[in-house]
Amino acid sequence: MTSTRSLLLWVADSPASAAQGPTGDTTPAGPVLSVEGAGIQFGERSLWGDLSFGITPGEFVAVLGANGSGKTTLLKAILGQQPLSHGQIRFLGEPVHHGNRLIGYVPQQKLADAATPLRARDLVALGVDGHRWGIPLPSRSRRQKVDDILTDIGAMSYANAPLSILSGGEQQRLRVGQALAGDPRLVLCDEPLLSLDLSHQRSISELINNQRNARGFGVLFVTHDINPILGMVDRVLYLAGGQFRMGTPDEVFQTSVLTELYGSEVEVFRSNGRVIVVGATDADHHHHPTEGEP
């Protein structure tokens, strides 16, 4: 059984919560995130090395690659949860640290247990003050903050519904709201569309993109399938075999580029506005046809 206290503890230790980071008008003129010569090594295995890129305010960057290529590990490093073997990562001009509330986090979709004693608004409220110890006291400003977020994410109609009766897409919409509660400058999305049907994939992708455009935060979006977000993405970071390529979707999703990256023959096709990659290890992660889909 999931208790309210255990959920409070989870939020307090989650990537989107804990100690307050830089606030106000401290954002530097340069990138919101800067990764410089970063590498992570486990024993003799280099997950990736000499990784360098930046994300500017309002930019949408997708991260793709086969399982085990280090996509989630990159997010953990940005969150200060995974030390680098070399290089550095800076957020708003400062070295990254664990628990910066100006970095929002949207996890994979996971249905709430039937015994979870929370309403929809309670989940969003945990993003507002779940990092604080103790039971939060009722507050008009707190309720208004939660209501504003619920309105922004289109979830006010089920604000008071028990979390456990909501669909996976509705619950994921609330997790996006929770990530927005700290007014982030950067939002990290760790395969947030996994296990969602095509309709909910589209709605959650559009929600994140619309909020990105309205609020001006950067997005780093880990996914196995580029297609639901293809029209939203500014650049793609592709990880494979300890190497990486970065550029616009048209620059990265080319037969020659991915063949060089994987070190074996890979073919890239485009059909009905979708990208299909054939021949790479775990290549089917770029396109998951659904019954009835053209």
Tab-separated table of all heavy atoms in Angstrom, residues 199-220:
chain	number	residue	atom	x	y	z
A	199	SER	N	-2.990	8.355	-29.283
A	199	SER	CA	-3.716	9.570	-28.947
A	199	SER	C	-3.084	10.281	-27.754
A	199	SER	O	-2.878	11.500	-27.764
A	199	SER	CB	-5.185	9.240	-28.652
A	199	SER	OG	-5.883	10.389	-28.217
A	200	HIS	N	-2.761	9.527	-26.701
A	200	HIS	CA	-2.160	10.128	-25.520
A	200	HIS	C	-0.707	10.528	-25.772
A	200	HIS	O	-0.227	11.515	-25.194
A	200	HIS	CB	-2.261	9.170	-24.334
A	200	HIS	CG	-3.623	9.139	-23.706
A	200	HIS	ND1	-4.358	7.984	-23.579
A	200	HIS	CD2	-4.392	10.125	-23.191
A	200	HIS	CE1	-5.516	8.252	-22.998
A	200	HIS	NE2	-5.563	9.551	-22.762
A	201	GLN	N	0.000	9.785	-26.612
A	201	GLN	CA	1.344	10.218	-26.994
A	201	GLN	C	1.292	11.613	-27.613
A	201	GLN	O	2.106	12.486	-27.296
A	201	GLN	CB	1.959	9.229	-27.990
A	201	GLN	CG	2.420	7.922	-27.388
A	201	GLN	CD	3.088	7.023	-28.417
A	201	GLN	OE1	3.359	7.434	-29.545
A	201	GLN	NE2	3.353	5.787	-28.044
A	202	ARG	N	0.328	11.795	-28.496
A	202	ARG	CA	0.192	13.083	-29.184
A	202	ARG	C	-0.176	14.187	-28.190
A	202	ARG	O	0.417	15.268	-28.215
A	202	ARG	CB	-0.860	12.977	-30.283
A	202	ARG	CG	-0.992	14.230	-31.145
A	202	ARG	CD	-2.015	14.030	-32.249
A	202	ARG	NE	-1.697	12.883	-33.087
A	202	ARG	CZ	-2.387	11.743	-33.099
A	202	ARG	NH1	-3.449	11.603	-32.319
A	202	ARG	NH2	-2.033	10.751	-33.884
A	203	SER	N	-1.123	13.916	-27.299
A	203	SER	CA	-1.582	14.960	-26.385
A	203	SER	C	-0.502	15.344	-25.374
A	203	SER	O	-0.328	16.534	-25.061
A	203	SER	CB	-2.858	14.518	-25.662
A	203	SER	OG	-2.606	13.441	-24.784
A	204	ILE	N	0.253	14.367	-24.875
A	204	ILE	CA	1.313	14.674	-23.907
A	204	ILE	C	2.461	15.405	-24.598
A	204	ILE	O	3.026	16.373	-24.057
A	204	ILE	CB	1.820	13.387	-23.234
A	204	ILE	CG1	0.710	12.759	-22.387
A	204	ILE	CG2	3.044	13.678	-22.364
A	204	ILE	CD1	0.162	13.651	-21.300
A	205	SER	N	2.806	14.987	-25.812
A	205	SER	CA	3.855	15.684	-26.566
A	205	SER	C	3.464	17.135	-26.818
A	205	SER	O	4.284	18.055	-26.642
A	205	SER	CB	4.098	14.984	-27.906
A	205	SER	OG	4.523	13.655	-27.727
A	206	GLU	N	2.223	17.343	-27.237
A	206	GLU	CA	1.756	18.709	-27.518
A	206	GLU	C	1.692	19.543	-26.248
A	206	GLU	O	1.998	20.745	-26.275
A	206	GLU	CB	0.395	18.648	-28.204
A	206	GLU	CG	0.459	18.101	-29.628
A	206	GLU	CD	-0.903	17.938	-30.265
A	206	GLU	OE1	-1.920	18.065	-29.521
A	206	GLU	OE2	-0.969	17.678	-31.479
A	207	LEU	N	1.315	18.923	-25.131
A	207	LEU	CA	1.277	19.643	-23.867
A	207	LEU	C	2.673	20.156	-23.492
A	207	LEU	O	2.840	21.335	-23.151
A	207	LEU	CB	0.747	18.732	-22.762
A	207	LEU	CG	0.835	19.273	-21.331
A	207	LEU	CD1	0.028	20.548	-21.179
A	207	LEU	CD2	0.378	18.210	-20.330
A	208	ILE	N	3.660	19.287	-23.552
A	208	ILE	CA	5.031	19.689	-23.217
A	208	ILE	C	5.519	20.761	-24.174
A	208	ILE	O	6.121	21.766	-23.762
A	208	ILE	CB	5.960	18.457	-23.234
A	208	ILE	CG1	5.586	17.497	-22.100
A	208	ILE	CG2	7.430	18.882	-23.118
A	208	ILE	CD1	6.268	16.153	-22.174
A	209	ASN	N	5.235	20.585	-25.449
A	209	ASN	CA	5.689	21.561	-26.444
A	209	ASN	C	5.000	22.912	-26.265
A	209	ASN	O	5.641	23.969	-26.342
A	209	ASN	CB	5.415	21.015	-27.847
A	209	ASN	CG	6.034	21.868	-28.929
A	209	ASN	OD1	7.222	22.192	-28.882
A	209	ASN	ND2	5.247	22.258	-29.907
A	210	ASN	N	3.691	22.903	-26.013
A	210	ASN	CA	2.960	24.154	-25.821
A	210	ASN	C	3.448	24.900	-24.579
A	210	ASN	O	3.584	26.129	-24.595
A	210	ASN	CB	1.457	23.881	-25.714
A	210	ASN	CG	0.845	23.435	-27.033
A	210	ASN	OD1	1.412	23.665	-28.091
A	210	ASN	ND2	-0.291	22.779	-26.965
A	211	GLN	N	3.704	24.153	-23.501
A	211	GLN	CA	4.209	24.785	-22.289
A	211	GLN	C	5.631	25.305	-22.498
A	211	GLN	O	6.002	26.359	-21.975
A	211	GLN	CB	4.164	23.799	-21.118
A	211	GLN	CG	2.759	23.491	-20.630
A	211	GLN	CD	2.058	24.720	-20.082
A	211	GLN	OE1	2.618	25.462	-19.280
A	211	GLN	NE2	0.822	24.954	-20.518
A	212	ARG	N	6.409	24.586	-23.268
A	212	ARG	CA	7.750	25.050	-23.621
A	212	ARG	C	7.685	26.380	-24.354
A	212	ARG	O	8.434	27.329	-24.052
A	212	ARG	CB	8.418	23.980	-24.492
A	212	ARG	CG	9.848	24.250	-24.939
A	212	ARG	CD	9.964	24.850	-26.353
A	212	ARG	NE	9.432	24.038	-27.415
A	212	ARG	CZ	9.981	23.940	-28.620
A	212	ARG	NH1	11.115	24.565	-28.893
A	212	ARG	NH2	9.383	23.253	-29.565
A	213	ASN	N	6.789	26.477	-25.306
A	213	ASN	CA	6.641	27.717	-26.072
A	213	ASN	C	6.112	28.858	-25.203
A	213	ASN	O	6.524	30.014	-25.354
A	213	ASN	CB	5.712	27.492	-27.262
A	213	ASN	CG	6.352	26.627	-28.341
A	213	ASN	OD1	7.564	26.647	-28.523
A	213	ASN	ND2	5.539	25.853	-29.046
A	214	ALA	N	5.185	28.547	-24.290
A	214	ALA	CA	4.582	29.586	-23.455
A	214	ALA	C	5.517	30.073	-22.360
A	214	ALA	O	5.561	31.270	-22.043
A	214	ALA	CB	3.286	29.056	-22.829
A	215	ARG	N	6.296	29.166	-21.788
A	215	ARG	CA	7.119	29.492	-20.627
A	215	ARG	C	8.592	29.725	-20.966
A	215	ARG	O	9.323	30.304	-20.161
A	215	ARG	CB	7.015	28.379	-19.578
A	215	ARG	CG	5.605	28.200	-19.006
A	215	ARG	CD	5.517	26.928	-18.171
A	215	ARG	NE	4.184	26.712	-17.623
A	215	ARG	CZ	3.888	26.831	-16.337
A	215	ARG	NH1	4.818	27.162	-15.455
A	215	ARG	NH2	2.655	26.602	-15.911
A	216	GLY	N	9.031	29.220	-22.115
A	216	GLY	CA	10.394	29.470	-22.555
A	216	GLY	C	11.465	28.597	-21.937
A	216	GLY	O	12.652	28.925	-21.987
A	217	PHE	N	11.085	27.453	-21.339
A	217	PHE	CA	12.110	26.568	-20.787
A	217	PHE	C	12.670	25.641	-21.871
A	217	PHE	O	12.023	25.368	-22.884
A	217	PHE	CB	11.566	25.745	-19.605
A	217	PHE	CG	10.309	24.945	-19.891
A	217	PHE	CD1	10.331	23.796	-20.657
A	217	PHE	CD2	9.087	25.356	-19.357
A	217	PHE	CE1	9.184	23.054	-20.897
A	217	PHE	CE2	7.924	24.629	-19.583
A	217	PHE	CZ	7.969	23.476	-20.360
A	218	GLY	N	13.872	25.152	-21.652
A	218	GLY	CA	14.456	24.165	-22.546
A	218	GLY	C	13.920	22.784	-22.229
A	218	GLY	O	13.489	22.511	-21.105
A	219	VAL	N	13.946	21.907	-23.224
A	219	VAL	CA	13.461	20.533	-23.060
A	219	VAL	C	14.524	19.554	-23.552
A	219	VAL	O	15.070	19.720	-24.652
A	219	VAL	CB	12.152	20.295	-23.841
A	219	VAL	CG1	11.735	18.821	-23.773
A	219	VAL	CG2	11.035	21.187	-23.325
A	220	LEU	N	14.820	18.559	-22.722
A	220	LEU	CA	15.651	17.420	-23.130
A	220	LEU	C	14.768	16.192	-22.995
A	220	LEU	O	14.395	15.802	-21.891
A	220	LEU	CB	16.895	17.318	-22.252
A	220	LEU	CG	18.009	16.401	-22.761
A	220	LEU	CD1	18.575	16.926	-24.079
A	220	LEU	CD2	19.135	16.275	-21.735
